Amino acid sequence: MNNFVSMKAITADEIMYLLKQTDRFAEGELPKQEKDKKRFITNLFYEPSTRTKLSFEVAERKLGFEVIDFQVDYSSVRKGESVYDTAKTVISIGAEAIVIRHSLDNAVQKLAEQLDVPVINAGDGAGEHPTQSLLDIYTMYKEFGDLKGLNVLIVGDIIHSRVARSNAYALRTLGANVYLSSKPEWQDDRLDFPYVELDEAIEMCDVVMLLRIQSERHDQPKVVEANEYLNKYGLTIEREKRMKQNAIIMHPAPVNRDIEIDDQLVECKRSRIFKQMEYGVYARMAVLDYLLNKEGQENGDNYQTMYAHVNSY
Ligand code: CP
């Protein structure tokens, strides 16, 4: 693995290695850092972000990297510089890797094929969001251990959701049962997973993952009537009461309170929404360490060789 752009082709062993590394970083371990050697990384965010951008910055700093500040609106992107030329520029200046979010599906994959430094997808259009998926899966792993047979219900604006796509692929690789639920016009036929009625599935799922309505990706954005959407397609207090005793609520955030989920449930006992954000730092450290540190790479490769045939997944 030289880049981290998609969860579609990643193996169960690679995911398991990254989960175990995430755990190590969550417990406060840090990889060895070479004294007096400055290493640089940059985060190219062509779309807004709070969680992903800030948690990458914290992860990078914890691993000892200097973060090259880049803000699209104050860069030569505004003079028409391409993504490729921008990336080549920051690499020439000293960046060892590119973390990038872009509004076009596949823009990140294309860039990864053109560059010879690691490229990490921080979200590409309605394509994929693999580090969000890794932190989501880590949240489930912490809660339930083995993900095999876990029933995960992903609810909301499926067709525009890169989070749904990355999670569906990775969860299937790990043996979880993935169910999708959405308004008919937001179903995505390219995703080969069963669609279910929220009210029928709510009682049998271990994880209910709500998705943000991605209005910015809608061709003709409509005003969403909060009560109407919540009552038909969102997590109401009545539905939460019917969830399994140990089932958890997740949402990648930002959350539209009282639209995708009742405001009172965002921080309820079952909710792991803010835990997900906390875990995002450690999951991103695991990815950066694997791609950029010799020891991380060697450990990952050894782990995969050792466990390729015996892993329970
Ligand atoms: N979940 C997520 O990607 O949030 P941000 O857009 O704030 O990074």
Side-chain angles (χ1 to χ4, degrees), residues 145-210:
D146 194 350
L147 270 65
K148 203 177 235 169
L150 201 72
N151 292 324
V152 181
L153 176 62
I154 306 179
V155 187
D157 188 358
I158 303 283
I159 195 163
H160 301 106
S161 175
R162 51 199 179 200
V163 176
R165 209 172 315 284
S166 286
N167 271 319
Y169 297 144
L171 286 164
R172 176 158 61 191
T173 300
L174 294 177
N177 304 315
V178 178
Y179 302 95
L180 307 176
S181 183
S182 81
K183 287 170 82 158
E185 61 265 40
W186 291 347
Q187 293 186 4
D188 186 348
D189 296 336
R190 293 166 300 173
L191 277 176
D192 180 23
F193 294 86
Y195 278 88
V196 293
E197 288 298 325
L198 178 56
D199 277 317
E200 287 168 22
I202 197 84
E203 290 169 15
M204 61 97 174
C205 285
D206 302 294
V207 177
V208 177
M209 181 185 292
L210 291 316

Side-chain angles (χ1 to χ4, degrees), residues 38-280:
K38 285 209 183 292
R39 301 180 72 188
F40 296 92
I41 200 161
T42 196
N43 306 315
L44 305 181
F45 276 68
Y46 287 79
E47 273 194 340
S49 168
T50 298
R51 275 146 289 273
T52 313
K53 186 166 187 289
L54 296 184
S55 61
F56 262 114
E57 283 181 18
V58 173
E60 288 154 0
R61 292 203 168 101
K62 279 184 179 241
L63 291 174
F65 286 93
E66 303 270 339
V67 183
I68 302 174
D69 185 39
F70 179 84
Q71 295 177 44
V72 166
D73 283 339
Y74 297 96
S75 75
S76 289
V77 171
R78 290 289 166 255
K79 301 173 202 163
E81 192 160 41
S82 68
V83 174
Y84 174 77
D85 282 338
T86 303
K88 285 292 284 187
T89 301
V90 291
I91 294 164
S92 305
I93 290 167
E96 286 186 42
I98 302 285
V99 176
I100 176 166
R101 169 171 287 191
H102 201 277
S103 57
L104 293 180
D105 304 11
N106 291 321
V108 178
Q109 282 82 347
K110 192 174 155 205
L111 187 68
E113 285 161 18
Q114 294 172 308
L115 299 179
D116 51 12
V117 302
V119 173
I120 300 167
N121 185 355
D124 63 314
E128 287 215 40
H129 196 348
T131 60
Q132 176 71 44
S133 170
L134 185 65
L135 74 90
D136 289 342
I137 285 172
Y138 180 71
T139 307
M140 297 179 214
Y141 171 74
K142 287 293 279 180
E143 199 74 34
F144 301 105
D146 194 350
L147 270 65
K148 203 177 235 169
L150 201 72
N151 292 324
V152 181
L153 176 62
I154 306 179
V155 187
D157 188 358
I158 303 283
I159 195 163
H160 301 106
S161 175
R162 51 199 179 200
V163 176
R165 209 172 315 284
S166 286
N167 271 319
Y169 297 144
L171 286 164
R172 176 158 61 191
T173 300
L174 294 177
N177 304 315
V178 178
Y179 302 95
L180 307 176
S181 183
S182 81
K183 287 170 82 158
E185 61 265 40
W186 291 347
Q187 293 186 4
D188 186 348
D189 296 336
R190 293 166 300 173
L191 277 176
D192 180 23
F193 294 86
Y195 278 88
V196 293
E197 288 298 325
L198 178 56
D199 277 317
E200 287 168 22
I202 197 84
E203 290 169 15
M204 61 97 174
C205 285
D206 302 294
V207 177
V208 177
M209 181 185 292
L210 291 316
L211 301 171
R212 181 175 70 84
I213 299 176
Q214 309 262 309
S215 308
E216 72 275 23
R217 298 187 211 292
H218 294 182
D219 289 338
Q220 291 169 321
K222 289 187 198 143
V223 176
V224 178
E225 296 297 338
N227 278 343
E228 191 187 328
Y229 185 86
L230 181 68
N231 290 333
K232 265 190 172 164
Y233 304 106
L235 190 61
T236 57
I237 289 173
E238 186 275 324
R239 288 189 180 111
E240 185 271 336
K241 287 197 175 116
R242 290 196 282 125
M243 287 172 66
K244 277 164 80 169
Q245 195 184 353
N246 296 326
I248 61 168
I249 298 167
M250 296 176 62
H251 190 309
V255 175
N256 292 308
R257 288 175 184 251
D258 282 332
I259 297 182
E260 295 118 18
I261 176 170
D262 190 292
D263 176 53
Q264 291 180 50
L265 298 177
V266 173
E267 294 173 67
C268 75
K269 207 164 158 236
R270 290 183 190 281
S271 171
R272 298 293 178 272
I273 296 172
F274 288 93
K275 266 283 168 218
Q276 288 172 260
M277 296 175 205
E278 180 189 329
Y279 292 156

